Amino acid sequence: MSLPKLHVAVLMGGWSSERPVSLMSGEGVAKALEERGHKVTRIDMGRDVAQRLAEAAPDVVFNALHGSPGEDGSVQGMMDLMGLTYTHSGMVTSVIAIDKELTKQALVPHGIPMPGGRIVTSEEIFERDPLARPYVLKPVNEGSSVGVAIVTAEGNYGNPISRDAKGPWQEFDKLLAEPFIRGRELTTAVMGGADGPRALMVTELKPKSGFYDFDAKYTEGMTEHICPAEIPDEITKACLDLALRAHQLLGCKGCSRTDFRWDDERGVEGLFVLETNTQPGMTPLSLVPEQAKHLGMSYGELVEAIIAEALADKQAADKRGAQ
């Protein structure tokens, strides 16, 4: 759909661990919209966010928040109650997708391959390893690889893990323990549209050191992006298919990004979905704008396309409600 000139509130910031990334995403979106002639109200989310949104009375809200409460269904539920049109996924999808265990429950029964593992308490890991080493510990509902630790036999966390060792067990009472999957980091973006969602392409991520953690994601020069990924056609096809299916099964809107680990010694059998991010970053280093650019879509066009789907969904919902 062709966009008229709109008043867009760009919701960014907040108080999650991903606040700095959200501010970068939001500012990029705001500038792109202004360059395309739209009126923009920037809102750095505080506890008065409902009042500020009501005062702004925008045509649509671009949700550029990352992490809780902007990506976990809380803000989505608030905006639903306020009758606001907003980008990206709705409340139910957001609640499920931010929780790695709920995501597994939603996807694995439909044939989406994901690592095994289980929820453990921090107290438990101080007594014994929950899985055979090497394994991964991560918060259940954080994004951007916040708080991820890889526990190896040669690591310096201790055996069992020491209470004094720096790691996610010092910040979170419950963690997800998963087997470590050797191999390569891949990611695929999916975009919605009038003709339905489509998977864009596959990017391989090669950190210069360590693994693809928060710093590697958002510090320029720390990770090499190979776009499109130099991988066998069957792996590309599998990534595109799995990302699209995850997007659809979870009920994602706007754009999503599904992250994979691929054990390249096992072919397609070595490909595993790690998570689906319902509000991917829109920073200069972010993966969704990079994939869209490779397919001929500018950053501004990407932003407008995300907004167009939100407006189309609202029109469709209003039409159903009137019947």
Side-chain angles (χ1 to χ4, degrees):
M1 63 186 292
S2 177
L3 279 186
K5 299 309 176 191
L6 299 167
H7 176 198
V8 183
V10 178
L11 196 54
M12 64 180 95
W15 51 83
S16 82
S17 57
E18 298 178 72
R19 171 180 169 81
V21 182
S22 174
L23 289 172
M24 286 191 288
S25 290
E27 187 57 31
V29 168
K31 286 181 178 178
L33 288 169
E34 288 172 337
E35 289 170 359
R36 299 176 83 83
H38 301 287
K39 177 184 176 181
V40 174
T41 298
R42 293 164 171 80
I43 298 179
D44 184 345
M45 188 179 74
R47 304 291 178 178
D48 61 345
V49 61
Q51 178 182 341
R52 294 183 65 188
L53 284 168
E55 290 171 350
D59 298 311
V60 62
V61 179
F62 193 104
N63 187 352
L65 294 166
H66 303 315
S68 298
E71 199 172 353
D72 67 0
S74 301
V75 166
Q76 289 80 1
M78 177 197 73
M79 291 193 288
D80 286 340
L81 288 173
M82 295 177 69
L84 294 170
T85 303
Y86 58 90
T87 65
H88 296 88
S89 298
M91 183 183 71
V92 174
T93 294
S94 301
V95 168
I96 295 170
I98 195 136
D99 187 299
K100 295 176 178 65
E101 190 67 10
L102 290 178
T103 300
K104 287 185 181 184
Q105 293 173 14
L107 298 183
V108 171
H110 294 275
I112 305 293
M114 301 185 75
R118 62 186 180 89
I119 302 295
V120 298
T121 65
S122 295
E123 287 299 317
E124 182 179 348
I125 67 171
F126 298 143
E127 296 177 4
R128 67 185 70 84
D129 283 333
L131 301 174
R133 298 191 182 200
Y135 62 91
V136 180
L137 288 171
K138 60 181 73 172
V140 176
N141 54 6
E142 291 281 347
S144 290
S145 299
V146 171
V148 175
I150 299 176
V151 183
T152 64
E154 302 80 19
N156 59 2
Y157 294 130
N159 194 354
I161 292 173
S162 168
R163 293 177 183 271
D164 297 330
K166 185 178 180 181
W169 42 84
Q170 293 183 334
E171 302 175 56
F172 303 95
D173 294 329
K174 291 185 178 181
L175 297 164
L176 178 61
E178 294 179 336
F180 174 73
I181 300 167
R182 66 156 303 280
R184 298 158 71 173
E185 196 95 22
L186 307 174
T187 192
T188 295
V190 175
M191 276 199 60
D195 298 325
R198 66 186 178 108
L200 301 187
M201 59 197 316
V202 184
T203 300
E204 181 174 4
L205 306 159
K206 289 189 172 181
K208 299 295 177 65
S209 63
F211 69 101
Y212 192 53
D213 60 7
F214 185 90
D215 290 336
K217 285 185 178 183
Y218 300 113
T219 304
E220 190 168 1
M222 285 189 67
T223 299
E224 180 184 3
H225 293 191
I226 301 174
C227 183
E230 297 171 354
I231 55 178
D233 289 345
E234 65 174 357
I235 303 301
T236 296
K237 183 178 183 302
C239 287
L240 297 176
D241 176 63
L242 289 170
L244 179 59
R245 288 173 60 203
H247 182 99
Q248 293 171 317
L249 287 166
L250 292 168
C252 297
K253 298 292 184 181
C255 66
S256 70
R257 194 194 72 241
T258 294
D259 299 332
F260 302 87
R261 285 287 287 184
W262 176 46
D263 183 341
D264 54 5
E265 294 181 353
R266 298 176 55 195
V268 174
E269 296 299 316
L271 186 64
F272 295 88
V273 169
L274 297 181
E275 64 179 338
T276 295
N277 188 322
T278 58
Q279 285 169 214
M282 295 287 285
T283 76
L285 298 181
S286 293
L287 296 153
V288 174
E290 182 179 57
Q291 292 191 2
K293 182 179 179 180
H294 273 269
L295 294 174
M297 178 180 285
S298 72
Y299 185 94
E301 289 170 337
L302 171 64
V303 171
E304 284 198 334
I306 293 170
I307 289 173
E309 186 186 10
L311 294 172
D313 283 349
K314 181 63 164 59
Q315 290 174 1
D318 289 346
K319 185 176 180 179
R320 289 193 299 270
Q323 291 176 347

